[in-house]
Amino acid sequence: MRLTTSHRDGLFVEGVALTDIAARFGTPCYVYSRAALTKAYTQYRNALNAQGFSKHALICYAVKANSSLAILNLFANLGAGFDIVSGGELARVIAAGGNPEKIVFSGVGKSREEMRAALAAGIHCFNVESASELTQLNAVAGELNTRAPISLRVNPNVDPKTHPYISTGLKSAKFGIAIDAAFALYQYAASLPHLVVKGIDCHIGSQLLDPAPAAEAIDKVLALVDQLARANMPLSHIDIGGGMGIQYHADEPAPAVADYLAPILEKLAGRKEHIILEPGRSLVGNAGLLLTRVMVTKPGEEKNFAIIDAAMNDLMRPALYDAYHEIVVASKKVGAGETAQTSKQRWEIVGPVCESGDFLGHDRDLALAEGDLLAILSAGAYGMAMASNYNTRPRAAEVMVDGNHLHLIRRRETVAELFALESVLPVKAT
Ligand code: LLP
């Protein structure tokens, strides 16, 4: 997302000042840029088109990264398909106007209810991860008198070299079917009357900055696809998953989409199977920020704490993965006759939640003071989607900037809504 600065109003997203957003909708608030979302999608599309995949490659946005209806709708209008992992995400995609025929359903466990809903919607494919799931899906499809399109998610046993919590392609992971066991499972799938074998898929991990492990995985996948074709089980698509990383740190080099995809697409060039991609983070991560206000500054003997109104419940990534997010001052609060604090100090940027793990950034050199607005960058992916109500904190508002226009795409929750589903016990009869 492109941020610009004005001396008087601080940071802008497209044509809108972050101070205006805070004044209208309060903080904490997620802010997305329509232009940045569109650009990220277009970069994928252009990279595919330039490599000759204009007709037979489908970008299925991984909904888990950010499942806001406005964002799903925007991608649907750009022609995207969707990668879902639950019946809830299926309902969201349909509510946002997504085309069910462009949905792939991933995940290591799907309930029968979810299978039924996806079959009724007519999705493109179920990405199946075990023999039991094949058996169950065959039974559910049989009950509905239909046939379920399937692909098998194979686990190629390559090390994606990313954080262990978001690494999925090693044998030790719960994900996928060991590549050596996959051929036998394809034979089993082909024997089941209510399944149609369509494809293969593979996703080795997330926040990958080097395409080499993904390219290595493709080699293994293609060897299996060719073996299947020789055994009279040709596949119609190859789903290469998501995983491309983004720049979180100003000093960290991030790959351009075209460069990351090049060695992968090179291996797929000239093949007759259709290609599916499942990018999440790289489509939304740098199109969003979390706007927050410094509530209290608390100088300490060892550390200076800046306590902000966003917390680990709003953006969980630092607490969960020790993830780094750039934090910048979006605007200074300057009263009449005051001058802004301009000398930098080292700060712990923390939230008000009662946990020592509630930090958004360590050791940040910033010129900040109480009342200032901060922007936590690269928060468009796995930010709001992973937010919780811990400490009975209403989830943040979300807004989308479109040029000079500002749209509220999710209003802030109220406290009353947080316990609206609960009830107390009846009075005990004596
Ligand atoms: N396809 C499958 C089957 C996946 O499991 C994932 C992500 C994706 C696609 C999208 O991957 P992406 O392009 O976003 O890397 N919460 C973590 C990330 C978890 C990723 C889970 N799977 C984080 O905040 O870093």
Side-chain angles (χ1 to χ4, degrees):
M1 146 192 299
R2 220 168 70 84
L3 294 170
T4 51
T5 317
S6 121
H7 185 62
R8 203 170 52 95
D9 296 314
L11 284 185
F12 279 65
V13 168
E14 300 187 35
V16 177
L18 291 176
T19 45
D20 287 347
I21 297 177
R24 277 183 64 188
F25 300 111
T27 51
C29 180
Y30 275 98
V31 181
Y32 308 108
S33 153
R34 179 179 190 161
L37 292 162
T38 307
K39 187 172 165 198
Y41 183 84
T42 310
Q43 280 174 343
Y44 262 93
R45 199 62 262 175
N46 289 348
L48 289 165
N49 294 356
Q51 300 285 327
F53 292 91
S54 49
K55 292 264 180 311
H56 60 297
L58 178 63
I59 301 168
C60 288
Y61 166 60
V63 174
K64 63 169 82 70
N66 189 320
S67 53
S68 151
L69 289 193
I71 291 178
L72 299 180
N73 175 257
L74 193 151
F75 287 140
N77 289 338
L78 291 170
F82 297 92
D83 166 41
I84 60 165
V85 289
S86 69
E89 289 189 352
L90 173 68
R92 273 187 179 274
V93 168
I94 292 171
N99 179 353
E101 287 167 21
K102 292 186 183 173
I103 292 178
V104 295
F105 193 165
S106 298
V108 71
K110 305 171 184 77
S111 72
R112 282 167 186 251
E113 207 47 59
E114 289 174 323
M115 290 175 181
R116 269 192 282 276
L119 283 168
I123 68 164
H124 185 66
C125 197
F126 289 84
N127 293 345
V128 173
E129 302 214 15
S130 64
S132 295
E133 191 186 336
L134 284 176
T135 311
Q136 291 179 18
L137 183 57
N138 180 62
V140 173
E143 282 158 23
L144 297 179
N145 218 357
T146 184
R147 295 178 80 195
I150 65 118
S151 97
L152 292 187
R153 174 172 178 182
V154 297
N155 182 331
N157 194 26
V158 299
D159 186 353
K161 303 197 176 69
T162 184
H163 190 286
Y165 285 12
I166 50 177
S167 155
T168 51
L170 276 171
K171 309 206 247 232
S172 51
K174 71 175 174 181
F175 297 101
I177 292 154
I179 192 132
D180 299 334
F183 185 83
L185 220 56
Y186 270 105
Q187 287 176 311
Y188 174 58
S191 76
L192 295 173
H194 296 290
L195 300 184
V196 188
V197 177
K198 290 273 206 188
I200 190 163
D201 71 284
C202 177
H203 171 85
I204 58 170
S206 197
Q207 185 52 17
L208 312 182
L209 296 170
D210 173 5
E216 186 188 333
I218 301 284
D219 279 335
K220 296 191 175 185
V221 166
L222 292 181
L224 177 59
V225 174
D226 293 339
Q227 187 193 357
L228 287 164
R230 285 194 300 274
N232 216 12
M233 283 185 281
L235 301 181
S236 55
H237 77 246
I238 300 172
D239 177 343
I240 63 173
M244 193 189 111
I246 61 165
Q247 183 171 35
Y248 280 103
H249 202 295
D251 305 334
E252 181 182 60
V257 179
D259 295 339
Y260 182 87
L261 289 181
I264 296 168
L265 295 180
E266 199 176 293
K267 296 189 183 288
L268 296 164
R271 296 195 63 104
K272 58 184 186 327
E273 299 89 358
H274 283 231
I275 305 302
I276 294 176
L277 299 90
E278 301 172 355
R281 188 191 316 265
S282 48
L283 288 180
V284 292
N286 273 327
L289 60 79
L290 176 57
L291 184 62
T292 172
R293 198 178 286 284
V294 180
M295 299 196 297
V296 172
T297 51
K298 190 173 168 186
E301 247 176 59
E302 283 187 19
K303 305 244 179 204
N304 298 315
F305 292 95
I307 295 138
I308 60 176
D309 62 7
M312 66 189 286
N313 73 296
D314 299 299
L315 180 64
M316 209 178 174
R317 302 192 70 260
L320 192 56
Y321 314 115
D322 209 10
Y324 181 93
H325 285 257
E326 209 69 68
I327 301 177
V328 297
V329 177
S331 105
K332 312 277 316 159
K333 178 171 181 280
V334 189
E338 289 174 12
T339 46
Q341 156 81 22
T342 51
S343 62
K344 287 188 178 172
Q345 269 182 288
R346 185 151 293 187
W347 296 97
E348 287 292 294
I349 311 291
V350 301
V353 162
C354 300
E355 296 230 15
S356 298
D358 180 25
F359 67 91
L360 282 305
H362 290 307
D363 294 330
R364 301 304 173 90
D365 293 327
L366 293 167
L368 59 75
E370 286 175 16
D372 287 353
L373 280 177
L374 304 183
I376 305 179
L377 306 185
S378 311
Y382 307 109
M384 184 62 170
M386 292 171 70
S388 79
N389 295 118
Y390 189 37
N391 281 202
T392 304
R393 288 169 51 86
R395 277 176 295 175
E398 291 178 290
V399 300
M400 176 90 70
V401 175
D402 183 8
N404 295 324
H405 298 285
L406 183 57
H407 303 277
L408 180 65
I409 59 170
R410 190 182 202 272
R411 68 162 171 79
R412 187 178 306 285
E413 283 170 336
T414 64
V415 170
E417 281 167 336
L418 301 192
F419 50 77
L421 305 180
E422 300 175 32
S423 44
V424 298
L425 295 182
V427 181
K428 209 168 191 170
T430 47

